[in-house]
């Protein structure tokens, strides 16, 4: 960089490196310098737009997408960004059409598949969303966390056995087998009538954190279904006393009175795809 400070390509390459280090501010400055030196650097506009979407600045993302479109109007990444911003604006049908066309041009690009999967979810086309997310999981070991969303998509299609199968690799890995995942799996097993498997999983959660109120709530529901009083008593006997927390009187009426119910569309779909984890230099 010191040898060629006026080379826009070097500044762009530096931006890509800074992004891998999660130094977003410095990466943004490097991209701005790239465009100062060469306003025709198409990939720099694309990368800046991705970053804008990641931080929720849709107006800026659209401005950058239009700048990129002036340089290469038919490029798949122009359609991808236009589709992403359309999804954030609530125009799911247009987003789906744009991202489908982008995926046809770049069928192996995981970022495009990721965005397209969310567009399918927005349109409640769960089978197509499943197809997109499965491709990502198969091709990218780093995206195994997407299995939770895929399981939710399978549940929308009334396929709980396959949902459990999808979650299994996460449950077998100590790094991903979180208490939240175990509770989710136990609740799924309960709805399938697998009460013994559910209570065993909940015991694992309680062994790690005896104060996990969510696990206690689910375990109580299992005991009510099975009538296993002995198991309930033996477990409750070792439960530590929970601290008494009384909310201010003015706010008691706002406390939730019912358990959460699974939404018709998976929760992650409400926000649409975030570019935060994906941002990288696009192909030239």
């Amino acid at each position: 960089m010191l040898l060629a400070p006026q080379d826009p390509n070097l500044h762009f390459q530096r931006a890509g490196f800074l992004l891998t280090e999660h130094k977003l501010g410095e990466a943004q400055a490097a991209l701005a310098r790239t465009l100062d030196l060469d306003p025709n650097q198409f990939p720099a506009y694309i990368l800046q737009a991705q970053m804008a979407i990641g931080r929720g600045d849709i107006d800026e993302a659209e401005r950058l997408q239009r700048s990129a479109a002036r340089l290469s109007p038919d490029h798949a990444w122009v359609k991808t960004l236009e589709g992403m911003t359309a999804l954030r604006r609530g125009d799911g049908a247009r987003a789906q059409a744009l991202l489908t066309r982008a995926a046809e041009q770049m069928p192996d690009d995981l970022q495009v598949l990721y965005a397209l999967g969310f567009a399918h979810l927005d349109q409640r086309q769960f089978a197509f969303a499943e197809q997109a997310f499965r491709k990502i999981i198969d091709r990218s070991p780093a995206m195994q966390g997407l299995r939770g969303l895929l399981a939710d998509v399978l549940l929308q299609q009334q396929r709980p056995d396959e949902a459990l199968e999808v979650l299994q690799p996460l449950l077998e890995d100590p790094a991903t087998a979180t208490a939240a995942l175990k509770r989710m799996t136990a609740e799924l097993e309960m709805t399938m009538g697998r009460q013994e498997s559910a209570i065993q999983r909940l015991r694992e959660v309680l062994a790690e954190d005896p104060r996990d109120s969510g696990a206690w709530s689910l375990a109580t529901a299992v005991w009510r279904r099975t009538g296993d009083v002995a198991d309930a008593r033996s477990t409750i006997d070792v439960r530590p006393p929970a601290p008494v927390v009384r909310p201010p009187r003015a706010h008691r009426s706002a406390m939730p009175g019912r358990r959460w119910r699974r939404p018709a569309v998976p929760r992650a779909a409400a926000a649409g795809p975030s570019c935060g984890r994906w941002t990288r230099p696009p192909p030239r």
Side-chain angles (χ1 to χ4, degrees):
M1 184 68 68
L2 293 176
L3 296 177
Q6 303 303 312
D7 188 337
N9 292 319
L10 287 180
H11 286 281
F12 181 75
Q13 291 171 11
R14 180 171 178 266
F17 173 77
L18 289 167
L19 283 172
T20 64
E21 298 292 316
H22 305 289
K23 298 178 179 179
L24 302 185
E26 293 180 55
Q28 184 66 43
L31 289 171
R33 181 58 177 158
T34 301
L35 292 172
D36 285 342
L37 294 170
D38 182 4
N40 294 320
Q41 278 270 355
F42 175 83
Y45 288 112
I46 297 299
L47 198 47
Q48 279 193 327
Q50 286 181 283
M51 295 177 68
I53 292 175
R55 64 177 181 268
D57 191 346
I58 307 306
D59 289 339
E60 177 67 3
E62 289 175 334
R63 184 190 70 78
L64 291 162
Q65 177 264 322
R66 288 192 295 269
S67 296
R70 284 193 289 269
L71 298 174
S72 184
D74 297 324
H75 197 286
W77 259 108
V78 171
K79 297 183 182 69
T80 300
L81 290 172
E82 193 175 356
M84 287 179 172
T85 55
L87 189 59
R88 292 298 186 91
R89 295 292 192 192
D91 192 347
R94 180 166 173 267
Q96 186 182 42
L98 287 163
L99 290 165
T100 298
R101 289 162 55 195
E104 290 171 353
Q105 290 180 250
M106 298 192 299
D108 297 323
D109 192 292
L110 300 187
Q111 286 180 279
V112 177
L113 283 173
Y114 186 70
L116 179 58
F118 277 94
H120 288 320
L121 283 182
D122 183 82
Q123 295 298 292
R124 301 183 58 80
Q125 295 186 6
F126 299 120
F128 287 119
E130 174 193 347
Q131 185 180 44
F133 294 141
R134 281 192 185 276
K135 286 181 180 178
I136 296 171
I137 291 170
D138 290 343
R139 299 176 188 179
S140 176
M143 286 301 295
Q144 295 304 301
L146 197 57
R147 287 178 176 273
L149 179 56
L150 176 57
D152 222 354
V153 171
L154 290 166
L155 289 175
Q156 302 302 323
Q157 301 175 76
Q158 306 300 314
R159 293 154 62 189
D161 288 329
E162 292 179 62
L164 276 177
E165 183 180 349
V166 163
L167 292 174
Q168 197 58 41
L170 297 180
L171 293 166
E172 294 172 356
D173 184 352
T176 55
T178 62
L181 178 64
K182 291 178 181 178
R183 289 195 304 269
M184 171 185 172
T185 306
E187 189 169 10
L188 177 56
E189 289 170 329
M190 289 168 60
T191 63
M192 298 170 64
R194 302 179 184 179
Q195 309 303 331
E196 184 57 38
S197 177
I199 196 64
Q200 182 58 41
R201 206 172 300 280
L202 293 168
R203 287 196 194 100
E204 294 176 9
V205 176
L206 293 171
E208 297 171 2
D209 181 7
R211 296 183 183 274
D212 192 311
S213 58
W216 280 112
S217 177
L218 291 172
T220 301
V222 173
W223 291 323
R224 286 174 178 168
R225 295 182 184 187
T226 62
D228 194 342
V229 178
D231 183 34
R233 286 177 175 171
S234 64
T235 307
I236 291 174
D237 284 344
V238 299
R239 180 181 184 180
V244 177
V245 179
R246 298 186 181 278
R249 183 177 301 275
H251 297 288
R252 288 186 185 179
S253 61
M255 294 181 66
R258 295 189 300 174
R259 288 189 58 200
W260 167 86
R261 294 180 180 272
R262 186 179 301 281
V265 177
R267 296 180 299 281
S274 170
C275 291
R277 73 174 66 184
W278 282 107
T279 306
R280 58 165 170 75
R284 291 175 178 271

